[in-house]
Amino acid sequence: MSAGPSTASGATAGALRHVLTHLVTPLLMCVGMGLAYLGAFHAPEPHDLRVDVVGSGPSVQVLAQTLRDKGDGALDVRTVADRDAAVNDLETQASYGAYVPGKSPELVVATASSDTSATVVQKVFTEVAAGQGAPLKVTNVAPTADGDPTGQGIFFLLVAISIGSYASVAVIGGAGGALALRIRAALVAGASLVVSLIGAVFAGPLFGLVDHGLGGLWAMAWLYSAGILLVGVGLHTFLKRWTTLGVMVLFVMLNFTSSGGIFRPELQPGFFGSLHAFWNGAGFVEGVRSHVYFDGHALGGHVLVLVLWFVAGLAVMGVAGLAEARERAAALAETGPVESGSGSGSGSEDGSGNASGSAAAPSRTGEQREELEEELEEAVGV
């Protein structure tokens, strides 16, 4: 009579420990997302934001120096000889605003580079023009497509492609864990192709985020997605159920916040601004901007970032393949050669042809299935 309640109590305690153990992952995600997003976005302040003052002579020099002193490091103010030079700086993303003083002052901006940066610059020079008692004319030399009036559509496209990619990691790395590495690599290629094509449909015919250059956008989307999938599937060999948290750190927490899609690094804390130089999300966002709006200026550097992440993914997959080969060799050495007529497929690959290995298989399979279901829920549900 007493065995029943005792067994039930033990089962409840075991289930509770299991739940509490797995609660660690969502709680760490909560902490990580809060630190990343609030740390990067909660209080944007300009620092070393490059702007130009057009003209020469004492009055222009005084205005530039006054802006430097008043900004206390917020603005990097330089003088340029004429309006054409200022426009060239904007079109090569060397500056984010150019002020032309005079009786009818003009501010020249390029919102395709960053709408939030242009807004900050406009606020500064609206006050300057008001102090001179003149209305400010604003000219936009690089507007965004009609389907992306704020210029942030590319960022949200990045989010969609990233989620499709890192959620696929759990499926290929987890559910496909019993498959040979070359088959998983083929699935990576196929999944990244599908994700990138979905992204291109979103960007072009569905929402009109870009009005030209869709082919180049698709190519960068594929390279970006393939890099995430390669890194994630390779890491799955080592991280197992922690892979979802790992790829979220790499490709959500640090990636979205450093991409420059909402605020450029000149409006962010230094940590996220420094990541902008080499993280893959920034490579995609800035690469698309360069390709679509700035005639390919500096495009090679942004594509190089995506290529390096892709190569890093190939390297991680290669290391994972070596580790899996060593595990198989060690398993065969422990269990001995598989007898003819024993199990095939994953059983022979794992070297579990003996009786004890076959008896233990159902228990291991049940545990693996449970962990896989939890991993998939975490990956898709976040």
Side-chain angles (χ1 to χ4, degrees):
M1 295 293 292
S2 60
S6 176
T7 302
S9 176
T12 300
L16 183 58
R17 284 194 300 270
H18 180 80
V19 171
L20 293 176
T21 299
H22 284 77
L23 272 175
V24 172
T25 299
L27 292 176
L28 288 176
M29 289 179 179
C30 176
V31 172
M33 294 290 281
L35 289 174
Y37 274 73
L38 293 175
F41 296 148
H42 84 288
E45 291 288 342
H47 56 86
D48 299 319
L49 182 64
R50 167 75 186 275
V51 295
D52 293 338
V53 177
V54 178
S56 58
S59 62
V60 171
Q61 295 295 334
V62 168
L63 175 58
Q65 188 61 50
T66 300
L67 289 170
R68 291 191 198 100
D69 296 341
K70 186 178 179 180
D72 192 24
L75 301 178
D76 176 13
V77 186
R78 307 186 190 187
T79 58
V80 295
D82 53 43
R83 189 179 183 280
D84 289 341
V87 170
N88 181 71
D89 284 346
L90 288 165
E91 291 178 341
T92 57
Q93 295 181 284
S95 75
Y96 300 97
Y99 182 70
V100 185
K103 293 182 179 179
S104 300
E106 179 188 18
L107 175 65
V108 189
V109 296
T111 56
S113 181
S114 172
D115 184 71
T116 52
S117 296
T119 300
V120 170
V121 172
Q122 185 172 343
K123 181 179 179 181
V124 170
F125 286 105
T126 296
E127 294 179 358
V128 172
Q132 297 174 350
L136 180 66
K137 174 186 176 183
V138 179
T139 303
N140 187 2
V141 295
T144 55
D146 292 340
D148 187 16
T150 66
Q152 295 177 7
I154 294 172
F155 170 76
F156 293 108
L157 177 65
L158 171 79
V159 172
I161 295 172
S162 301
I163 291 176
S165 301
Y166 85 72
S168 298
V169 166
V171 177
I172 298 173
L179 297 173
L181 188 66
R182 65 180 180 277
I183 298 178
R184 278 175 279 161
L187 289 172
V188 163
S192 59
L193 175 62
V194 174
V195 168
S196 63
L197 288 173
I198 291 172
V201 171
F202 285 161
L206 192 55
F207 293 109
L209 301 180
V210 299
D211 50 19
H212 66 281
L214 188 59
L217 181 148
W218 164 78
M220 284 183 274
W222 176 82
L223 197 56
Y224 171 76
S225 176
I228 292 176
L229 276 156
L230 286 169
V231 171
V233 172
L235 287 177
H236 195 279
T237 297
F238 308 100
L239 300 181
K240 305 300 182 186
R241 60 175 289 261
W242 296 103
T243 305
T244 295
L245 180 61
V247 296
M248 281 198 68
V249 171
L250 290 174
F251 304 121
V252 177
M253 298 175 192
L254 299 180
N255 189 27
F256 295 171
T257 52
S258 64
S259 66
I262 301 296
F263 299 113
R264 287 192 56 81
E266 294 85 3
L267 297 180
Q268 292 188 289
F271 172 72
F272 297 100
S274 64
L275 293 181
H276 183 82
F278 60 90
W279 220 256
N280 59 340
F284 176 76
V285 169
E286 298 296 354
V288 172
R289 284 173 173 168
S290 173
H291 172 62
V292 175
Y293 297 121
F294 296 100
D295 295 326
H297 176 76
L299 177 61
H302 304 312
V303 172
L304 177 61
V305 169
L306 297 176
V307 170
L308 290 176
W309 276 87
F310 180 85
V311 171
L314 291 175
V316 174
M317 287 283 283
V319 173
L322 293 174
E324 291 176 8
R326 284 197 297 267
E327 289 179 2
R328 288 194 297 271
L332 286 172
E334 289 180 2
T335 60
V338 180
E339 295 181 3
S340 176
S342 63
S344 60
S346 61
S348 61
E349 189 175 1
D350 293 338
S352 56
N354 55 31
S356 60
S358 299
S363 174
R364 290 199 304 270
T365 302
E367 292 174 0
Q368 291 170 352
R369 184 181 298 112
E370 187 176 349
E371 288 191 358
L372 174 59
E373 290 174 354
E374 290 167 349
E375 183 180 347
L376 292 174
E377 289 171 0
E378 290 170 356
V380 178
V382 174

